Structures are given as C-alpha cells and as structure tokens.
Amino acid sequence: MADESKFEQAKGNLKETAGNAFGNEELEKEGKQDKASGKVKEAAENAKDKVNDFVDKFKK
C-alpha cells in the first residue's frame, strides 16, 4: 500500500509540474490535490504500522 501512496504523490508532482509548465491551473491544482492525498495516505499507513508494532510488543 505504501507504493500506492508514493505513486499517487509522484503522479501529483508530474501533474503539478506539467500544469505549471503549460499554464494549466486546473491540472496544477489537481496535481497538488493528488500529492496531498498521497501524503495523507502515507501518514495513515505509517501510523497504522506503529500501532501494530506497539500491539505486537504486548502480545509477546
């Protein structure tokens, strides 16, 4: 799943760069949204992993 969030961030970066280069504000905005969404997903995945690690310590 982490790969998906990284891919979404990369896709957003490409869209944002292309939108900026070609003066397409809508594409640039869409790219920023994709990047932000990818970062949120990555943070959620990291938090979930930390909670699971914490729970696993108590299971042992």
Side-chain angles (χ1 to χ4, degrees):
M1 190 106 167
D3 290 338
E4 290 178 29
S5 62
K6 290 289 187 186
F7 175 76
E8 190 167 346
Q9 289 178 51
K11 178 180 73 169
N13 193 39
L14 288 172
K15 284 182 179 180
E16 182 180 3
T17 300
N20 190 16
F22 295 111
N24 185 332
E25 292 180 13
E26 186 63 32
L27 185 61
E28 186 177 354
K29 180 180 172 185
E30 189 177 320
K32 287 180 181 181
Q33 290 173 340
D34 286 348
K35 277 181 19 180
S37 175
K39 287 180 182 181
V40 168
K41 287 178 184 178
E42 183 178 17
E45 291 165 6
N46 290 340
K48 179 183 168 189
D49 290 342
K50 286 181 181 183
V51 169
N52 285 337
D53 290 344
F54 182 76
V55 169
D56 287 344
K57 285 182 183 179
F58 285 101
K59 285 184 177 179
K60 293 180 182 181

